Amino acid sequence: MGYAEPLEDALMKPWFAVFAVTATLSASATATAQQQELNSLQGTWMMESAYEIKADGTRTTTYGEHPKGLLIIDAAGHYNLQIFRVGRPSFASGDKARGTTEEYREAVLGSSTHFGTVTIDPAKHQLIFKIEAASFPNWEGQTQLRDYAYQDGLLTYAVPASASGSGTVAYSVWRRSPK
């Protein structure tokens, strides 16, 4: 009876080794398949969510719980990105040139837009945005790096604290629109 345990252990060890190797290869194949799926950013992406992590670790949602966003990237890497907070107040005057200070503030802080070119560096897991024009003029003419993750069809990237100037890291989560 004392000999059965070592025999069972001996039989189980190769099984666990095969299982561990299979799981590792499967995870690697999944990561490779996901990366191949993302090799081209070309297409239309719809915003899933956007949130910020402040320097003190608190989570906020500048654009609300369900922001509207659209990211379009063509075959040459030209992009146009728009994010809007749902429920921004309309201008009472109905005239864009005659808004109140608060209406202008809400319009500006409730949206983010920019365009230019974007490339992907899969080895560094970074998107490289060369921003031509932006609703935040300080970004115009800049090249900005965004660390990204791509999992389960979702592209998530982080706008670093240095880009915000406030110590806040902003996250944008996008899903490729069906063709």
Side-chain angles (χ1 to χ4, degrees), residues 103-161:
E103 289 169 338
Y104 286 131
R105 182 180 191 288
E106 289 296 316
V108 170
L109 293 178
S111 63
S112 179
T113 64
H114 50 94
F115 69 87
T117 58
V118 62
T119 55
I120 186 170
D121 183 338
K124 293 183 181 178
H125 281 273
Q126 290 183 324
L127 301 178
I128 302 149
F129 284 89
K130 292 184 179 178
I131 301 171
E132 187 175 329
S135 57
F136 181 52
N138 298 34
W139 284 8
E140 292 184 0
Q142 288 191 5
T143 297
Q144 293 189 0
L145 305 177
R146 309 277 193 260
D147 292 335
Y148 77 86
Y150 186 71
Q151 187 174 358
D152 300 327
L154 293 177
L155 173 64
T156 303
Y157 63 77
V159 179

Side-chain angles (χ1 to χ4, degrees), residues 11 29-30 32 37 46 54 77 91 108 114 117 123 159 163 165 168 172:
L11 291 173
T30 300
T32 301
E37 184 180 338
M46 306 299 291
K54 293 184 175 190
F91 286 28
V108 170
H114 50 94
T117 58
V159 179
T168 297
S172 295

Side-chain angles (χ1 to χ4, degrees), residues 58-89:
T58 58
R59 185 181 190 276
T60 62
T61 56
T62 297
Y63 301 109
E65 287 299 320
H66 304 287
K68 298 268 186 190
L70 184 67
L71 170 60
I72 300 173
I73 304 170
D74 71 13
H78 296 97
Y79 79 92
N80 186 341
L81 180 149
Q82 305 166 35
I83 303 171
F84 296 96
R85 180 176 57 237
V86 174
R88 291 173 301 135

Side-chain angles (χ1 to χ4, degrees), residues 47-59:
M47 176 150 273
E48 286 283 316
S49 66
Y51 59 94
E52 301 80 31
I53 304 295
K54 293 184 175 190
D56 67 4
T58 58
R59 185 181 190 276

